[in-house]
Amino acid sequence: MRSNTAVEERPLGRTGLRVSSLGFGCGNVGGLLVRGTRAERERAVARAIELGITYFDTAPSYGDGLSEQHLGEALRAVGADAVVGTKVSLRDGGDVERSLDASLERLGRDEVDLFQLHDPVGPETLERVLPALERMRAAGRTRFVGITGLGDTDALHAIVESGAVDTVQAFFNLLNPSAGYPVPAGSVEQDFRELVPRAHDHGVGVIVVRALAGGALSGEPDRHPVAAPAVDPIASGPSYGDDLLRAQALRPLVEEGFAGSLVEAALRFPLASEGVSTVLLGYSSLEQLEAAADAVAKGPLPPEALQLAEREQRLAGGGHAEG
Ligand SMILES: NC(=O)c1ccc[n+]([C@@H]2O[C@H](COP(=O)([O-])OP(=O)(O)OC[C@H]3O[C@@H](n4cnc5c(N)ncnc54)[C@H](OP(=O)(O)O)[C@@H]3O)[C@@H](O)[C@H]2O)c1
């Protein structure tokens, strides 16, 4: 059934922008903006706008430029004015300015709203890499700058506390809740040590990525034909199969009536954290978009559901700590 509920908006840190609490991930995993037909892409973007989704996330590496190109085409076709973020990777000797120029060309825009580092950060990122992103802002090619919340945890905290970035893309989900909550030592792939509340304290907008652990938190092993056929976990578990198994431990959230499905629980989980501005989801179909909008319209998971998730996760070998 088509939902008529508009997705709520939240502030994007100190930027002054407000973004929808559900975002549109144009990445390779969901794949709709990379491998969907032109008609499917435009319908999905039009419907997303109608549902109140205002943030679209892309990157040069998604479909080797196709995601940016398709997103630009679809937004023009729909005539929509959305908040658009893209990224840069310097891993293979990339150049910040050349990369952004090529992104703007593919998107068909003079500037983006958000320009983010796509690479994991290290101790050198703050002084050696981020000034180049800042120069793009000074040149009027991006309104705001951000990072991907991966890499050295100390460096991540130092960057969000430094004032050098406006946003961070946080890996924060039911399988690795450490970006939002304290967790027992050794219980997660990477302990992000509550990066989300720290970012919030410093006015840095939090964009949650991998809320469904690439699809594993649906609990279903089958992938949509448009989706990437195989997904490498990021900061969730050692393998996709392992993530799928651990997702089963969260079924009591559905059985005890806190959510209509695991997907709904996984999307409403990060929304319970005040610092979260938007939860990006990668879509493979229009139906997945509709289901996600219906799920977030139910609001954040209540505290009793968070406690239940914590208990079940601990039994499954992960999860939050007391307190
Ligand atoms: N900065 C970074 O390094 C970084 C890294 C990762 C992601 N991101 C961004 O975050 C976005 C989201 O991440 P992601 O796509 O990697 O992972 P994700 O959102 O956790 O998972 C996407 C997968 O979830 C499943 N799904 C989505 N909606 C569903 C629904 N309603 N019901 C059931 N299953 C559903 C689909 O799998 P099936 O088709 O198999 O059902 C889809 O392929 C990306 O598009 C990208 O913009 C950024």
Side-chain angles (χ1 to χ4, degrees):
M1 206 176 66
R2 282 164 72 92
S3 162
N4 289 315
T5 324
V7 174
E8 59 148 0
E9 288 194 331
R10 292 182 172 197
L12 184 63
R14 58 166 176 260
T15 63
L17 294 179
R18 290 180 69 79
V19 288
S20 49
S21 61
L22 177 67
F24 200 124
C26 304
N28 196 47
V29 171
L32 194 52
L33 263 283
V34 175
R35 289 174 294 273
T37 64
R38 189 179 191 114
E40 285 167 342
R41 300 188 306 256
E42 291 183 3
R43 256 182 82 211
V45 170
R47 181 64 182 141
I49 299 280
E50 199 175 60
L51 287 163
I53 291 175
T54 58
Y55 178 58
F56 292 76
D57 181 79
T58 183
S61 60
Y62 298 161
D64 207 9
L66 278 180
S67 167
E68 291 179 322
Q69 186 193 319
H70 290 165
L71 176 61
E73 285 168 4
L75 287 173
R76 276 193 301 281
V78 170
D81 183 24
V83 177
V84 171
T86 193
K87 313 191 188 79
V88 57
S89 171
L90 303 174
R91 252 178 288 204
D92 302 315
D95 174 84
V96 169
E97 192 170 357
R98 265 204 304 274
S99 178
L100 181 54
D101 280 348
S103 291
L104 291 173
E105 169 103 30
R106 286 188 291 266
L107 284 160
R109 304 167 74 101
D110 296 329
E111 68 165 7
V112 281
D113 300 290
L114 183 58
F115 185 46
Q116 305 148 104
L117 185 66
H118 209 165
D119 304 330
V121 304
E124 75 297 344
T125 306
L126 184 54
E127 287 188 2
R128 298 227 192 108
V129 183
L130 294 180
L133 271 68
E134 188 53 44
R135 282 196 287 278
M136 298 299 98
R137 187 217 306 263
R141 285 148 140 146
T142 183
R143 295 172 69 192
F144 301 105
V145 298
I147 53 167
T148 291
L150 272 184
D152 181 65
T153 305
D154 287 339
L156 281 172
H157 281 254
I159 292 170
V160 300
E161 287 165 17
S162 71
V165 293
D166 303 297
T167 62
V168 58
Q169 294 211 340
F171 292 76
F172 178 33
N173 59 36
L174 278 165
L175 298 181
N176 184 346
S178 66
Y181 302 94
V183 296
S187 66
V188 288
E189 285 288 298
Q190 177 170 355
D191 185 351
F192 293 106
R193 298 202 316 262
E194 299 174 83
L195 185 65
V196 171
R198 278 306 79 66
H200 185 52
D201 291 346
H202 290 84
V204 173
V206 173
I207 297 167
V208 169
V209 298
R210 285 287 170 107
L212 285 188
L217 270 164
S218 69
E220 305 296 335
D222 298 336
R223 298 206 64 92
H224 190 281
V226 165
V231 178
D232 289 329
I234 308 178
S236 45
S239 71
Y240 193 81
D242 190 78
D243 282 358
L244 266 173
L245 262 180
R246 283 176 55 222
Q248 304 307 329
L250 295 158
R251 292 255 178 232
L253 285 170
V254 179
E255 289 154 6
E256 296 191 19
F258 289 111
S261 67
L262 273 182
V263 168
E264 182 192 310
L267 281 173
R268 294 173 60 199
F269 168 71
L271 290 174
S273 293
E274 193 193 356
V276 167
S277 303
T278 185
V279 177
L280 273 182
L281 187 61
Y283 307 101
S284 310
S285 68
L286 196 58
E287 290 69 29
Q288 290 188 348
L289 171 68
E290 299 282 355
D294 282 345
V296 301
K298 295 185 182 162
L301 276 188
E304 314 83 75
L306 299 176
Q307 282 154 15
L308 176 65
E310 176 182 353
R311 260 196 324 273
E312 299 301 334
Q313 278 293 57
R314 289 186 132 205
L315 295 175
H320 327 181
E322 302 294 342

